[in-house]
């Protein structure tokens, strides 16, 4: 391999290792951007053609990720105080659907980091997979539930609080 390619691979592995170590996460990977991280997460969970609840207060790239993998986005109302999906809104959506919800794609707006333990526990009990779009939330850390219960995607775009140019990080 060329020295340039070898440097890029080593540099990517180093950055990935540092981010995962800092976030106390056992597994994850660095990708080109957070949208690609969302797409990869949805594919890895086998959600092509499946119903995915998405916050109705989100960025266009979040919906684009769902559409691009062939999943079916179902918009879920948010709590008007937090602008995030909460358990009450999720239960209302599921009750009104009349058919199975396969996954929940939560958006963390404005870099907020709320406790989703109650939602994740509910989803686990009802066989609903969880992906968290935490694009603007790095370097916030989750200390209240196991990362194995969901996938979380961060962005390192220049418009985010912690930028390394253009990249995404999937953990879980």
């Amino acid at each position: 391999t060329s020295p340039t390619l070898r440097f890029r691979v080593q540099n990517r592995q180093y950055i990935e290792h540092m981010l995962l170590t800092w976030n106390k996460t056992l597994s994850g990977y660095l990708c080109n951007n957070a949208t690609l991280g969302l797409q990869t997460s949805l594919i890895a969970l086998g959600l092509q053609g499946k119903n995915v609840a998405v916050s109705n207060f989100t960025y266009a790239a979040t919906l684009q990720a769902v559409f691009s993998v062939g999943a079916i986005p179902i918009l879920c109302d948010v709590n008007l105080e937090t602008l995030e999906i909460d358990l009450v809104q999720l239960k209302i959506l599921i009750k009104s659907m009349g058919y199975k919800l396969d996954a929940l794609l939560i958006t963390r707006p404005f870099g907020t980091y709320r406790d989703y333990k109650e939602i994740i526990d509910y989803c686990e009990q009802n066989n609903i997979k969880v992906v968290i779009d935490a694009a603007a939330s790095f370097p916030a850390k989750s200390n209240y539930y196991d990362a194995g219960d969901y996938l979380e995607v961060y962005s390192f775009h220049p418009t985010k609080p912690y930028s390394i140019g253009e990249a995404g990080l999937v953990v879980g």
Side-chain angles (χ1 to χ4, degrees):
T1 58
S2 73
T4 303
L5 179 60
R6 200 168 34 251
F7 171 77
R8 287 182 183 162
V9 169
Q10 289 171 344
N11 196 29
R12 183 197 60 78
Q13 290 171 335
Y14 173 74
I15 292 170
E16 188 175 84
H17 172 74
M18 294 303 293
L19 292 170
L20 293 174
T21 301
W22 180 87
N23 208 37
K24 297 180 181 162
T25 303
L26 298 177
S27 62
Y29 69 94
L30 203 56
C31 53
N32 291 350
N33 57 55
T35 304
L36 180 61
L38 289 172
Q39 292 167 328
T40 305
S41 298
L42 295 168
I43 291 169
L45 293 172
L47 295 171
Q48 303 93 319
K50 305 289 185 175
N51 298 313
V52 179
V54 181
S55 167
N56 66 356
F57 184 77
T58 191
Y59 187 64
T62 306
L63 279 172
Q64 167 59 28
V66 176
F67 279 118
S68 70
V69 301
I72 304 159
I74 312 289
L75 294 178
C76 183
D77 287 335
V78 296
N79 176 306
L80 295 178
E81 291 180 18
T82 65
L83 298 177
E84 296 173 282
I85 292 174
D86 63 16
L87 189 55
V88 171
Q89 296 300 328
L90 180 61
K91 287 180 177 180
I92 290 169
L93 174 71
I94 291 170
K95 186 175 182 179
S96 70
M97 284 176 54
Y99 50 91
K100 184 173 179 354
L101 181 64
D102 300 292
L104 172 63
L105 177 50
I106 300 171
T107 301
R108 293 187 187 276
F110 314 117
T112 58
Y113 219 87
R114 298 196 196 289
D115 184 348
Y116 291 136
K117 181 174 179 12
E118 187 178 36
I119 293 175
I120 290 174
D121 288 346
Y122 174 83
C123 289
E124 191 174 88
Q125 292 166 6
N126 291 280
N127 200 28
I128 299 170
K129 297 172 182 171
V130 178
V131 176
I132 300 175
D133 178 355
S137 297
F138 197 88
K141 295 184 206 179
S142 170
N143 295 320
Y144 34 77
Y145 43 85
D146 294 328
D149 296 339
Y150 62 94
L151 294 173
E152 191 153 9
V153 182
Y154 298 99
S155 174
F156 300 104
H157 187 271
T159 62
K160 303 303 183 221
Y162 184 87
S163 175
I164 57 174
E166 175 72 56
L169 178 69
V170 179
V171 298

